[in-house]
């Protein structure tokens, strides 16, 4: 390693060239096409009538037409079948369990594990993600259904609050969920068609992880009532999590012991076997399907002992065979539009969160396996999955981390695996659904909680972010706490607003410094960070590492003046006072001369002194020219120890009109104290913004902009700058 470092130090390069101004580089390129024109231009190109263009659009919109004819059957089919069966086995208990989270009967979790998966296989570009129900999205849906269709609206007359008309309630909730799923799909399709896949950039990774961690706690708390066997009403207002816990502890003495034992035993088995799967995942061809095993065993025990009748253990109840809803055969049906206004805000939040989870996992596995995913097409694919699913009473779906890992680790190569898993679910829906009628609800809740183990590990982000980035830690904590306290929808809105606020806040706290030259190089760094860096005599170089716009333009000016080591505003004020003082003194001399001459009698031969070209006229002329003539030294003020200021714009990404005005003021103010100001390393886009803002007018010319800091320093150090630069600027 030491030899390598020595060899790198021996490498040198020499460049001999003239000093370059920005205008010497030929000026900025022609204005790029505006985003609006480029959008319509792209649309126009896509609409050109040709076989190749139509084929390209078709393959881009329906990716399965591109990859399925090229599918290597011998190499990939067996792996996809094994993977699909593994995911299907896992999809069954998760679909049933997450339906409870969404507030709908378990059978609709199976529907959501079939229709959307089939649609995504046609339109999706990721080969490895597993589409279907997911805890975070399900709890977001459940908070809406519990808010709009609460249990209190369906209490049977003549009974206490424990008896609810579940058939009517479930029917109403299914209708609300279908309407919301339709809107989720429409939002995702529209965002995909207008190329808005970048919208997820406003949801940073710390924000998403903090939000999903809080959602995990919401999910866990919502399932405790099934673990303890307590009939608790749902809450969805702010502080609902805390209120739910208070209500739980108030009724803890009414816990159903049988339900609690079933829940704790199943949780123990699930956690234990999942840990074995994690540690021995390289030795097993596929993970032990502990969820399915627990599902089958608990259903058999519940049926054999009759847990529901003898011990009051809550069970799933009727799961109709075939595609049957709460009242009739499931056929494609448009959801009711009357619910759209009530759920539109939540639908948009679910659309964005669902897409964020999907695209993050899709890109992760695409990078691992060396292929690309189209972020906009993923939006469209997920949108169509939800749109089609809404016509079959499905709830909104996204990608599941646990199922995706299983699909990839068991040999899945394409969405053929997803299709196989959907067919497994189809068989269960048509033939085996009624077998799980006696399944205890506590088992489904235990499956939900056990699958959140990985999400709880996100608490380890806190010490990591504490060591690496305090701002990201703050975003994580705000997202977490706001979601815990204000519920899922409001918490997400607060998190996004706070994330955007931190961006604005951080732009107002930029890093700035005075640069010096690394000895005998063209490199410029902060002298406080290296002993090899020295400031250049007579020249100040100011570096600023962010954009200059309305929010920080004033800060830029203040930071610049602070770094100069002199109170610029006070010096300008002193100069103006000194000039005014000198002018007033001369005015007094003129008045005195006028009084003397007025008393001079006519005919003495001194009348010429009052003429325009006489002494009095000369004094007036001198008085008028005094404000522009005096220097700091002539006014008795101390001259600054530098004559030139270079503003390093290499890190300035843009400048708005407020920033341009402030920059003009800086040029004028420093010229007042006999300091010439120059720009260096100005990006082309910023240079163009200065041109469009008419910055280069009057005494400021394009020759004051240099291609690099070293060009500016070389020019100013050459000894010709003091005379030639001003002349060149004026000529420009």
């Amino acid at each position: 390693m030491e030899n390598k470092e020595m060899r790198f130090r021996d490498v040198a390069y020499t460049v001999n060239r003239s000093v370059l101004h920005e205008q010497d580089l030929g000026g900025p390129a022609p204005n790029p096409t505006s985003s609006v024109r480029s959008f319509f231009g792209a649309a126009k190109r896509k609409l050109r009538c040709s076989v190749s263009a139509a084929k390209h659009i078709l393959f881009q919109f329906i990716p399965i037409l591109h990859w399925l004819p090229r599918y290597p059957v011998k190499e990939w089919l067996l792996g996809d079948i094994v993977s699909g069966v593994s995911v299907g086995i896992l999809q069954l208990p998760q679909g049933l369990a997450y339906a409870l989270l969404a507030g709908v009967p378990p059978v609709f979790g199976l529907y959501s594990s079939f229709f959307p998966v089939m649609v995504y296989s046609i339109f999706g570009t990721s080969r490895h993600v597993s589409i279907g129900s997911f805890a975070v999205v399900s709890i977001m849906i459940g908070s809406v259904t519990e808010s709009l269709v609460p249990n209190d609206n369906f209490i049977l007359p003549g009974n206490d609050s424990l008896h609810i008309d579940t058939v009517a309630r479930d029917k109403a909730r299914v209708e609300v969920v279908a309407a919301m799923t339709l809107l989720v799909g429409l939002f995702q399709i529209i965002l995909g068609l207008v190329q808005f896949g970048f919208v997820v950039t406003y949801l940073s990774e710390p924000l998403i992880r903090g939000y999903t961690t809080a959602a995990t706690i919401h999910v866990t708390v919502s399932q405790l009532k099934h673990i303890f066997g307590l009939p608790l009403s749902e809450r969805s207002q702010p502080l609902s999590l805390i209120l739910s816990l208070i209500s739980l502890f108030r009724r803890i003495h009414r816990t159903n012991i049988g339900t609690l034992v079933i829940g704790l035993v199943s949780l123990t088995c699930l956690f234990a076997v999942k840990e074995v799967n994690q540690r021995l995942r390289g030795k097993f061809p596929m993970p032990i399907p502990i969820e399915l095993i627990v599902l089958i065993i608990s259903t058999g025990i519940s049926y054999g002992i009759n847990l529901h009748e003898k011990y009051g253990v809550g069970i799933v109840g009727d799961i109709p065979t075939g595609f049957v809803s709460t009242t009739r055969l499931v056929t494609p049906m448009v959801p009711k539009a009357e619910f759209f206004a009530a759920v539109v805000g939540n639908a948009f939040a679910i659309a964005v969160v669902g897409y964020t989870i999907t695209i993050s996992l899709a890109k992760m596995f695409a990078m691992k396996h060396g292929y690309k995913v189209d972020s906009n097409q993923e939006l469209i694919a997920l949108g169509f999955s939800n749109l089609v699913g809404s016509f079959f009473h499905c709830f909104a779906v996204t990608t599941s981390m646990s199922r995706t890992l299983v699909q990839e680790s068991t040999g899945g190569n394409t969405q053929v695996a997803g299709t196989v898993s959907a067919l497994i679910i189809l068989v269960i829906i048509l033939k085996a659904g009624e077998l799980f009628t006696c399944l205890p609800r506590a088992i489904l809740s235990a499956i939900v909680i056990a699958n959140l183990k990985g999400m709880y590990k996100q608490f380890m982000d806190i010490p990591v972010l504490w060591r690496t980035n305090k701002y990201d830690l703050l975003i994580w904590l705000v997202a977490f706490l706001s979601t815990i306290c204000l519920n899922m929808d409001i918490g997400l809105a607060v998190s996004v607003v706070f994330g955007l606020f931190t961006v604005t806040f951080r732009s107002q706290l930029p890093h700035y410094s005075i640069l010096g030259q690394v000895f005998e190089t063209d490199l410029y760094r902060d002298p406080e960070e290296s002993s090899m860096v020295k400031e250049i005599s007579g020249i100040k170089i100011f570096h600023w590492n962010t954009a200059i716009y309305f929010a920080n333009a004033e800060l830029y000016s203040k930071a610049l003046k602070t770094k100069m080591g002199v109170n610029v505003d006070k010096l300008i004020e002193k100069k103006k006072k000194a000039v005014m003082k000198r002018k007033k003194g001369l005015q007094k001399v003129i008045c005195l001369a006028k009084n003397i001459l007025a008393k001079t009698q006519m005919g003495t031969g001194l009348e010429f002194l009052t003429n325009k070209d006489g002494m009095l006229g000369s004094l007036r002329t001198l008085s008028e020219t005094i404000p522009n003539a005096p220097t700091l030294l002539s006014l008795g003020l101390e001259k600054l120890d530098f004559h030139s200021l270079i503003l390093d714009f290499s890190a300035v990404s843009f400048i708005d009109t407020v920033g341009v005005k402030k920059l003009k003021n800086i040029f004028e103010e420093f010229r007042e104290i006999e300091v010439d100001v120059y720009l260096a390393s100005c990006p082309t886009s910023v240079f163009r913004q200065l041109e469009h803002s008419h910055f280069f007018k009057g005494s400021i010319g394009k020759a004051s902009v240099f291609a690099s800091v070293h060009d500016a320093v070389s020019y100013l150090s050459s000894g010709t700058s003091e005379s030639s630069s001003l002349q060149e600027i004026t000529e420009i």
Side-chain angles (χ1 to χ4, degrees), residues 355-369:
Y355 170 66
T356 303
I357 295 169
T358 295
I359 195 62
S360 59
L361 288 173
K363 286 185 175 180
M364 181 178 73
F365 285 100
M367 184 179 298
K368 180 178 179 180
H369 292 274

Side-chain angles (χ1 to χ4, degrees), residues 255-259 262 302 305-314:
T255 298
N256 185 298
I257 302 301
T259 301
I262 291 172
S302 175
I305 302 179
N306 197 3
L307 293 176
H308 179 59
E309 296 294 336
K310 290 185 177 180
Y311 302 100
V313 174

Side-chain angles (χ1 to χ4, degrees), residues 457-470 473 476-477:
K457 290 182 179 179
Q458 292 180 161
F459 277 111
M460 297 307 298
D461 291 350
I462 295 177
V464 173
L465 293 176
W466 174 261
R467 293 191 298 268
T468 57
N469 193 311
K470 301 291 193 302
L473 174 60
W476 195 103
L477 291 174

Side-chain angles (χ1 to χ4, degrees), residues 146-219:
E146 292 164 2
S147 174
L148 297 180
V149 191
N151 284 336
D152 296 342
N153 293 353
F154 299 92
I155 297 176
L156 294 173
N159 293 287
D160 59 22
S161 60
L162 300 182
H163 292 79
I164 297 171
D165 186 354
T166 56
V167 174
R169 181 202 63 185
D170 290 345
K171 182 178 183 296
R173 288 185 173 182
V174 167
E175 291 175 346
V176 170
V177 168
M180 183 161 52
T181 304
L182 175 65
L183 289 181
V184 170
L186 287 176
F187 278 132
Q188 290 172 333
I189 292 172
I190 292 171
L191 290 175
L193 290 176
V194 298
Q195 310 290 294
F196 252 61
F198 69 87
V199 72
V200 296
T201 58
Y202 293 103
L203 300 177
S204 65
E205 183 179 356
L207 188 152
I208 288 295
R209 292 177 71 86
Y211 177 78
T212 53
T213 304
T216 299
I217 295 180
H218 274 279
V219 171

